[in-house]
Each structure stands twice: as C-alpha cells, then as structure tokens.
Amino acid sequence: MGEECCSTQLIDGDGEFNALGMERFMKAVRLAECGLSYAVVSIMGPQSSGKSTLLNHLFCTDFREMDAFRGRSQTTKGIWIGRCVGIDPCTIVMDLEGTDGRERGEDDTAFEKQTALFALAVSDIVLINMWCHDIGREQAANKPLLKTVFQVMMRLFSPRKTTLLFVIRDKTKTPLEHLEPVLREDIQKIWDAVPKPKAHEDTLLSEFFNVEVTALPSYEEKEEQFKEQAAQLRQRFVHSIAPGGLAGDRRGVVPASGFSFSAEQIWKVIRENKDLDLPAHKVMVATVRCEEIANEKFDHLTSDEGWLALEKTVQSGHVSGFGRKLGSILDAYMSEYDGEAVYFDEGVRTAKRQQLESRLLQLVHPAFQAMLGHIRTKALDKFKNDLEQSLKTGKGFAASVHDCIQSSLLEFDQECADVAIRQANWDTFKVRENLHHDIEVHAASIRSVKLSELTTHYETQLTAALAEPVASLFDAAGQDTWASIRKLYKREMENVLSELSTSLSGFELQVGKFDTMVANLKEYGRNVVEKKARDEAGKALMHMKDRFSTVFSHDKDSMPRVWTGKEDIRKITKEARAAALKFLSVIAAIRLDDKPDRIGDILNTTLADGPKTQERSIAASTDPLASSTWEEVPPKNTLITPVQCKSLWRQFKTETEFAITQAISAQEAHKRSNGMLPPPWAIVTIAILGFNEFMMLLRNPLYLLVLFVIFLLSRALWVQLDISGEFRNGTLSGLLSLSSKFLPTTMRLLKRLADEGQGHNQPQQTSPLLNSQSFRSQSQRQPSFSDSQPGISSSSSAGLSSEIGTEYSTQIHNGETDTEASRTS
C-alpha cells in the first residue's frame, strides 16, 4: 500500500456521504482484510486549532493544513478520512470540521453535533484538541465542545466506552500534573450539568468514557520539541486495541469489511435526526454484510470452473470420488464465508451461514441426484448380470435372486457413502427403495420367463409323450383302449410332475402358485389327450373304413386274402364291421375320468345286425341313437353324438359295400375258372385211362354227339340249380334243396328243348337270340345270392347274379346253336 494520497473526504460540507470514495479508500488501504484488527481515531476541536497538523505529525497523514500566511479560516470541511502509516494495527483517522467556526455562524450547531455523534459512534479514540490557556476559563471553547459531546452521547443506546484523549496544545510552564486536575474537574462539571435520560441520571462519566490527558508544546515556537513529543504520543497508538491499550473497550466494534456500510448507515440515521441504537445497528450491519458475503460466495460457486466441470461430468456418467470433490468445493466457499464474516454478530453470522449452506446445497443437489441415478442404474445392471451368471451355474433361482439383491444393495450403499458429502445429510432411502423395487420387478420378470420356459418345456414333453402314443392306441382301438390311455396319461403326468417339482424347488414358490402350475400342467396334458381324441374323431369314418379293410382284406396272419370260394364272406364281413363298430364306440366319447357308460352296448345292439324286420316299427319309436347326447356322458366329453354315429354307420356301410361285392365277384370268378378245366394231372389220367374210349368215339361220331348233348344238359342244370350256392349253407341243406328242385328243373329244361325242336320245323322260327334272351330272363328269376348270403346287400347281389345269369345263358345259347348245326349236317 502506498503512503501518499490516502486521505479522502468522507462527508462533505453539505453533509453528503461519499460512498464511492469510501469504497475506493477501503480497497486502497485493504481495510476489509483487517477483520477486527483495526482502530478508528477521530479529532475534534475548535476551528484553526491545529487538528490537521497534529494528525499529520502523529500518523503521517496528508490532511490539508491551514496556511498561516493566508489568515485563520476554515481548512477542513465536513469529515476527512485517512490511514495512519507505520502503525499496527491498521488505524483509520477522521479529521472533523472545526467547531465554533465563523463560516457556519453562531447558531448553526446542528452539523457540529451530527459530526460529533458520528465520531463517537464509529471511533475507538476521540482526540479533543484544546488550547492550554482555555483551561479553567468559564467561556472557553472547550466547554461548548464538551457539552456537545456529552449531549450527543445520550442519543446512543448502550454506547461503548470511548477513550477521550484531551490534547493540550501550546502548554505553558505550568506542569501537566497541575493542569490535569483542573481539566478533569471542568469535565465533571460539564457532565453533571448535561441533561440525562432517567436511565442514566446516576451514571458516572467513567462508565461512558476513558478520559486521558496529554500535552504538547507549541508547534510554531518549539517545532522540534513538538515533533519529538508527538512521536512519543504516536507510540501510544501502537497496539492500541490490545488489552490495556489506548483504544479501551472494543465491544460493539464493526468488522472492517462492514465499516463502510456501517459508517454510511450511521450517518444516515444521524442526518435523519434519529437516536442511534448501536446494538441494533451492529446487527443490521452484520445482516447486510453477511448476506453480501454469502451472495458473493454463492455467485462465485456458480461460476467456479471446478464445480462446472464436475457438474458436466456427472451429467454424462458416474464420477468416482464425487462426494469428496464436491465436499471440498463447498468447504472452500464456506471457509471463505467464515473467514470474512467471523467478526460480525454471531447470531446473524450463523443464520446467514445456514442460508448460504442451504443455497449451495440446493445448487449442487441436482448433481447429487444425477449421481444417485447413475449408482442406481449401475446397481441394477450389476443385479441383472449377476443373476444371469448365477443362473447359468445352475444355482436355485430364489437363492440367486437373494444373493444378487444383497450384493447389489451393498454396492449401492457403498457408492452412496462415496457420493455423500459432509455438509448435507441427504437421504438416499427413497432411491434405495426405488432400486429395490426395480430389482424385484426385474426378478419377477425373469421368474415369469423362467417359469414360462419350464411350463413350455414340460408341455412340449407332455405333447411328445402323449400325442403319438394316444394316436397309436386309437389305431388299435379295443376294449381297453381308454384304460391304456388313462394309464399312459397317469404315468407320463407323474413323471412330468416329478421333474417339474424338482425344477421348481429352487424358485421357492408359494403353495398356491405351485398348485396352480401343477393344475395347469395336468389340464394341459388332459387337453392334449382330448385334442388328439377329437382329431381322431374327426377322421372316424376313415379309421372305420381302414379297420374294415384291414379285417376284411387280410387273414389272421395279416396276409392279403385270396378269394378262392372257400371263404365265408358273411362271417368275414360281420367281423370287419364289428371291428369298425368297436372303433366307433371307443372314439364316441372321452373316458379319462374312468366312468362307466353303455355306448358300446348301444352301438352293438343297434348297428351290428340292425333291428329285425318284425321289430323295425317298434325300434323306430325307441331308437337309442335318435338323440344328441349319451347317457352318463357329459356333453363336454362327447366326441360323436348318437345321431352322428348312426349317420356315420350308414355312410360307412354304403362306402364298404363295393368291397364286399368285389369279394363275391372274385369268388365267383375263381369258381368259374376252376370249373372250366380240370387240373393237369386229371387231364393226363383221363388221357391214359380213356384212350380206348376216345378211339371208340372217333370211330362212332354219334357217341360224341350224345356226350356233348349230355354235357350241355348237365351244365344247364348246374346253372339252373345253383349247386355251389346251395351247398354254401351246408351239405345237408344243399342236398335237401337240390332233391326238391331237381325234378321240376329237369322237366322244365326238357320241355323247353322240345318246344324249340318243334319250332325249328315251322316256317317262321324264333330267333335263337330271343330264345337265349328268354332263357336268360328265366335264369335271372332264380334265387339270388342275397337270399343265400345274409348280410350282403340285395342290390349288389342282384347285380352280381344278373351278370352270372347272362354269362351262363350265353353259354347255353352257344350250345343250342352247335347242336342244331350238327343236326343239319
């Protein structure tokens, strides 16, 4: 700090406070850095009493001094302020305008009182400059000055104890020891005479002031001696604020950083002619200054590069050591506040500190929340990864979830401890609860996925274990088909449920949840069986036809049948239809509940042989298949209703009739092929044994003709009597039938031949084709295969018989033609 040009006019002659100049002065002398380590000295005295000269020699200031060559006049106007050079602590000096000046007049004492009150309010030491020759005088200038000082002192509420240092100028040969008692007596008289408020009527002068007296020689006459004694007096101002120092009572002193504001406010109150409450003023100054300091620290933090960089980094991701870094930044600013506000009123300082801390924490709280968000995300990701890895090792789901939750929450707590700052007790419980909720939601989601996968796995296993075997059991439908299906269902379900129970043991499911999964799996298995049964029921007709074809077209050794004529088609047809009917009775209803029913009996009774002719009218009115439900079978378990069974059976018989007809035709064709030519061995035997007879026939052609006629007659009788058909029902019945039909048939055939022989000699003869047609028509009126074979449809048998009659009539016609030709020749 420079030692020149430090003085500044604080209050001008018109009473205006120079706030801007005061601020510049404080910065120049760096007063704000002094805290409480500073002292304020002011000087009062009559105009032209050498106040500025005294200050300049005591404190090395540069206040303007009176020019003796220009006469005695007002040199200092208002109040000037300057800094003492070379004195510790920092000492501020105020040079007040002189009293009793002719420039302001005799009656204008208001400004004098205001400046005096201001000096008493802000100063630790007040110098009262007075002439030695005025001591003891009644009307000397010191008395008005002292009255002014004592009167204005009454306007200070709870004033602090100020040191009044009387500086006796131009002392004479009278020793100071003799002058001081007189001066003190005068001062006491003035104090006693000053009107006081009731609260201070009995208050002693010593309770308000420390009175000190010193004397200096004349500056003009004894300059060197003056300077020497002024230097000695100067030493009393060194360490003036120390205990026992000249400054005296330091209660209520305003910290140096608030001196400018305090001085301005005090002068404002004084100018408004109000009583000055110093304690309240002290609180007011502390409030304003502490708030200014707090705002300054807050503004500095908002632009702090370290904080801005930390905030930016937090927005983009996790910051290691966040709590330590942020706490360090906050500590720095709070420490700065404490350092600057330490000398202000403690209550105000603490309150403003709390406000600053609250504002700072509010500023940085979003960054803290962002860090908590990063930690929460990190902990949740850790849980997800740990759970995935744990499940891969085969560890139980519930145990994995429990361990991973504990690990993730522990890491979260550790990270929160790293993020926490000492200045704030921010609660992370809510974020922790949200993390725990997110973890549980994720665990529940994974649990649902895993349970769904298990359910799907065991459902697939059940489908594979039940679908194809059930279809196979339906293919081989028999009496115990549904019993086998129930046994298969029970066995596979027990296996699957055992595996399911083992798989679910690690999930620690509630009993209700486990029971529900078991019930759903059982229901699924049942649905697999029922769906397969419904699918097979939808193909019932095809299965019935396949079953019929298998039994009808293959023998017991599963070899294809060759219809040689020895097979009992009626019996085979009955067995094949019974097999098809068995499948229909099995597939008609679902029997997983093992409840008895009469479906098989009803179908066998109603469809196997059909109602007898004489019972058809009664059966029509009591047809058990004329219904849409089965007795003792719930509708949900019905696959094929009775009405549908009846319709299916009718369609089945229609579509299998052709196979029966084909079998009959094959039998007849086989018989014809075997009857046309004897076996080779018979032919050889006949040729060897009948050689002589054959030669005889060659010599007598008439015998050959007779044999041919006998062959035709025998063949015609064979066809007309249907010998093979008659013996189909047994030998005895065949002989009895032939014995009753042989004679009439023979007579009818001979008569027909005779009639044709007579007609041959008539002019108009009937065409052999018509005769053959007549014979064919007559042969068609013979009993059909349907009469001799119960169970074969009349339409198919009639068609087959018509074809066979036509074939035999054609052969007879060809024989008659040959006979007639031989007769002609």
Side-chain angles (χ1 to χ4, degrees):
M1 182 187 65
E3 297 182 359
E4 297 179 359
C5 301
C6 289
S7 60
T8 302
Q9 188 178 34
L10 182 62
I11 298 172
D12 62 14
D14 296 328
E16 296 296 328
F17 190 90
N18 185 12
L20 183 60
M22 184 62 180
E23 290 296 325
R24 287 198 297 264
F25 172 79
M26 289 191 64
K27 290 181 180 179
V29 302
R30 302 168 70 176
L31 181 62
E33 301 176 6
C34 296
L36 296 179
S37 298
Y38 76 102
V40 180
V41 178
S42 60
I43 189 168
M44 300 179 186
Q47 179 177 306
S48 303
S49 61
K51 298 188 300 298
S52 299
T53 302
L54 177 61
L55 293 178
N56 290 339
H57 283 83
L58 278 177
F59 305 116
C60 301
T61 54
D62 57 354
F63 295 123
R64 180 184 176 189
E65 300 178 6
M66 182 187 69
D67 188 355
F69 295 99
R70 298 181 62 181
R72 302 178 66 86
S73 62
Q74 188 181 46
T75 305
T76 302
K77 294 182 180 181
I79 299 176
W80 284 73
I81 189 171
R83 183 183 190 278
C84 300
V85 178
I87 294 180
D88 185 33
C90 177
T91 303
I92 305 299
V93 181
M94 291 193 300
D95 187 9
L96 275 64
E97 180 180 319
T99 61
D100 195 21
R102 64 181 180 84
E103 285 80 5
R104 290 195 177 273
E106 191 173 314
D107 298 327
D108 190 8
T109 60
F111 187 77
E112 294 178 5
K113 293 180 179 180
Q114 290 173 350
T115 56
L117 181 59
F118 178 78
L120 288 174
V122 301
S123 301
D124 300 297
I125 304 170
V126 177
L127 301 178
I128 298 178
N129 197 50
M130 60 185 302
W131 299 109
C132 182
H133 55 263
D134 287 336
I135 299 176
R137 295 181 182 180
E138 186 65 26
Q139 300 298 325
N142 63 329
K143 288 186 177 181
L145 176 62
L146 289 177
K147 287 181 181 180
T148 300
V149 170
F150 294 157
Q151 286 175 355
V152 297
M153 181 62 73
M154 297 299 103
R155 297 178 59 185
L156 295 177
F157 294 166
S158 302
R160 59 177 177 164
K161 201 170 183 178
T162 307
T163 298
L164 293 180
L165 179 59
F166 288 87
V167 180
I168 301 174
R169 302 290 299 276
D170 297 349
K171 71 175 181 176
T172 60
K173 295 180 179 180
T174 304
L176 181 61
E177 291 80 6
H178 295 165
L179 295 175
E180 184 175 349
V182 176
L183 179 60
R184 289 184 179 274
E185 183 180 355
D186 292 340
I187 294 172
Q188 186 65 44
K189 288 180 180 180
I190 297 172
W191 173 257
D192 294 337
V194 172
K196 304 179 186 66
K198 291 183 179 182
H200 297 293
E201 285 181 354
D202 299 329
T203 303
L204 300 177
L205 176 66
S206 60
E207 295 184 12
F208 281 88
F209 299 102
N210 289 324
V211 178
E212 298 285 341
V213 180
T214 188
L216 292 174
S218 172
Y219 175 73
E220 294 180 356
E221 297 176 1
K222 301 177 182 180
E223 182 176 355
E224 293 299 326
Q225 189 178 358
F226 175 85
K227 292 180 178 180
E228 180 181 350
Q229 292 184 14
Q232 294 176 358
L233 179 60
R234 171 188 173 88
Q235 294 302 315
R236 298 189 63 184
F237 290 91
V238 177
H239 305 301
S240 60
I241 64 174
L246 189 62
D249 185 13
R250 297 286 291 170
R251 292 176 300 171
V253 63
V254 176
S257 63
F259 179 77
S260 173
F261 176 77
S262 175
E264 183 178 5
Q265 294 300 316
I266 288 175
W267 180 248
K268 181 179 179 182
V269 172
I270 292 174
R271 289 286 288 177
E272 293 173 355
N273 199 26
K274 296 179 181 180
D275 292 340
L276 183 60
D277 186 353
L278 288 182
H281 172 76
K282 176 184 177 183
V283 173
M284 183 268 294
V285 172
T287 301
V288 173
R289 278 299 301 147
C290 289
E291 187 168 351
E292 288 178 351
I293 296 171
N295 290 337
E296 179 184 356
K297 301 311 170 188
F298 181 81
D299 292 340
H300 287 175
L301 177 62
T302 58
S303 58
D304 186 273
E305 294 182 359
W307 156 245
L308 295 177
L310 182 63
E311 183 182 30
K312 183 177 180 181
T313 307
V314 167
Q315 298 302 323
S316 59
H318 183 272
V319 177
S320 179
F322 172 84
R324 175 178 52 78
K325 296 176 181 178
L326 181 59
S328 176
I329 294 174
L330 294 179
D331 276 343
Y333 284 100
M334 294 306 298
S335 297
E336 290 179 7
Y337 170 85
D338 292 338
E340 295 183 24
V342 65
Y343 301 114
F344 290 100
D345 181 80
E346 183 178 0
V348 175
R349 180 179 73 242
T350 302
K352 294 301 178 181
R353 187 184 196 281
Q354 293 175 351
Q355 293 179 6
L356 172 62
E357 188 175 50
S358 177
R359 292 180 66 193
L360 294 180
L361 293 178
Q362 186 176 4
L363 176 66
V364 302
H365 189 258
F368 175 79
Q369 289 291 343
M371 274 299 301
L372 288 184
H374 296 318
I375 297 173
R376 173 182 171 186
T377 301
K378 181 180 178 182
L380 181 59
D381 292 340
K382 172 180 171 57
F383 171 79
K384 293 178 180 179
N385 295 331
D386 291 350
L387 180 60
E388 182 179 358
Q389 297 301 324
S390 181
L391 293 178
K392 287 181 179 180
T393 62
K395 190 175 182 179
F397 183 85
S400 297
V401 169
H402 178 269
D403 293 343
C404 292
I405 288 178
Q406 295 299 321
S407 177
S408 297
L409 292 181
L410 178 61
E411 179 171 318
F412 176 81
D413 293 339
Q414 293 173 348
E415 292 286 349
C416 286
D418 179 68
V419 170
I421 57 176
R422 178 179 54 81
Q423 294 83 353
N425 187 24
W426 284 323
D427 187 12
T428 60
F429 177 77
K430 186 175 182 181
V431 179
R432 192 179 192 275
E433 286 295 307
N434 291 336
L435 170 63
H436 195 272
H437 176 265
D438 292 343
I439 288 176
E440 289 183 342
V441 169
H442 180 73
S445 175
I446 297 299
R447 181 186 293 107
S448 298
V449 172
K450 294 297 181 182
L451 292 179
S452 178
E453 291 177 354
L454 283 178
T455 301
T456 302
H457 170 71
Y458 289 115
E459 286 178 353
T460 304
Q461 184 174 333
L462 268 180
T463 302
L466 293 176
E468 294 301 325
V470 167
S472 177
L473 290 173
F474 279 130
D475 287 340
Q479 189 68 29
D480 58 348
T481 296
W482 278 107
S484 300
I485 292 176
R486 286 192 295 271
K487 183 177 180 181
L488 172 68
Y489 171 76
K490 181 179 180 181
R491 182 181 72 248
E492 297 299 334
M493 187 56 65
E494 288 177 351
N495 293 337
V496 170
L497 291 181
S498 175
E499 295 180 11
L500 176 65
S501 177
T502 302
S503 300
L504 294 180
S505 61
F507 285 86
E508 297 181 4
L509 297 178
Q510 296 180 353
V511 177
K513 177 66 174 178
F514 177 79
D515 293 342
T516 300
M517 292 190 66
V518 170
N520 290 339
L521 196 58
K522 287 182 178 179
E523 185 66 21
Y524 180 83
R526 185 184 183 93
N527 290 337
V528 170
V529 176
E530 292 183 357
K531 182 178 182 301
K532 199 63 181 178
R534 295 184 190 279
D535 292 343
E536 298 300 320
K539 300 181 289 186
L541 180 61
M542 182 186 70
H543 284 294
M544 291 169 64
K545 290 165 60 178
D546 291 343
R547 186 65 58 84
F548 175 86
S549 176
T550 300
V551 177
F552 187 80
S553 301
H554 297 79
D555 57 19
K556 295 180 179 180
D557 297 328
S558 299
M559 299 298 294
R561 293 185 186 275
V562 178
W563 302 104
T564 63
K566 299 178 181 179
E567 296 80 13
D568 188 350
I569 293 182
R570 179 184 177 186
K571 181 180 179 181
I572 295 173
T573 301
K574 186 175 182 180
E575 292 175 355
R577 287 179 174 174
L581 191 61
K582 172 58 67 177
F583 176 84
L584 183 61
S585 65
V586 169
I587 203 65
I590 297 173
R591 298 178 179 87
L592 281 177
D593 297 328
D594 195 17
K595 294 181 179 180
D597 58 69
R598 299 179 56 254
I599 295 178
D601 297 338
I602 293 173
L603 292 179
N604 286 331
T605 303
T606 308
L607 300 179
D609 296 323
K612 298 180 181 179
T613 305
Q614 60 269 27
E615 298 177 355
R616 287 180 180 174
S617 59
I618 301 174
S621 61
T622 60
D623 187 358
L625 298 182
S627 173
S628 61
T629 59
W630 297 103
E631 294 182 4
E632 302 176 352
V633 177
K636 66 176 183 177
N637 290 340
T638 300
L639 298 177
I640 303 177
T641 63
V643 174
Q644 291 172 339
C645 286
K646 188 173 183 180
S647 176
L648 277 174
W649 186 254
R650 186 181 300 111
Q651 186 177 358
F652 163 74
K653 290 181 66 177
T654 300
E655 295 187 10
T656 57
E657 203 70 48
F658 180 74
I660 300 172
T661 304
Q662 288 292 96
I664 294 174
S665 299
Q667 275 191 342
E668 294 301 331
H670 190 275
K671 290 178 182 179
R672 288 195 300 270
S673 63
N674 289 342
M676 292 296 292
L677 188 65
W681 61 269
I683 296 175
V684 174
T685 303
I686 291 172
I688 295 173
L689 298 179
F691 179 76
N692 293 331
E693 289 76 5
F694 178 70
M695 296 302 296
M696 182 185 67
L697 289 176
L698 291 178
R699 297 189 191 101
N700 299 290
L702 184 59
Y703 292 157
L704 184 60
L705 178 61
V706 172
L707 290 175
F708 180 72
V709 171
I710 293 173
F711 169 74
L712 291 178
L713 290 174
S714 299
R715 185 63 178 175
L717 286 173
W718 182 277
V719 174
Q720 290 295 319
L721 293 176
D722 189 19
I723 295 175
S724 60
E726 294 296 342
F727 282 98
R728 188 175 300 160
N729 296 325
T731 304
L732 181 60
S733 61
L735 291 175
L736 292 176
S737 178
L738 290 177
S739 63
S740 62
K741 293 164 58 178
F742 179 75
L743 185 58
T745 302
T746 303
M747 295 302 295
R748 186 170 53 255
L749 183 58
L750 292 175
K751 184 179 179 181
R752 184 182 184 89
L753 291 174
D755 290 340
E756 290 192 7
Q758 291 177 0
H760 181 71
N761 298 324
Q762 294 179 1
Q764 294 181 351
Q765 297 178 351
T766 304
S767 170
L769 179 58
L770 293 177
N771 291 339
S772 64
Q773 290 177 351
S774 175
F775 180 77
R776 184 166 60 251
S777 299
Q778 185 177 1
S779 65
Q780 290 176 356
R781 288 193 294 268
Q782 298 298 320
S784 64
F785 286 107
S786 62
D787 295 333
S788 61
Q789 287 186 332
I792 302 176
S793 64
S794 59
S795 61
S796 300
S797 300
L800 181 59
S801 300
S802 176
E803 293 177 3
I804 296 174
T806 302
E807 180 182 354
Y808 289 157
S809 298
T810 303
Q811 292 175 0
I812 293 172
H813 173 69
N814 293 334
E816 291 175 352
T817 305
D818 294 338
T819 304
E820 190 173 325
S822 59
R823 286 177 183 173
T824 304
S825 57

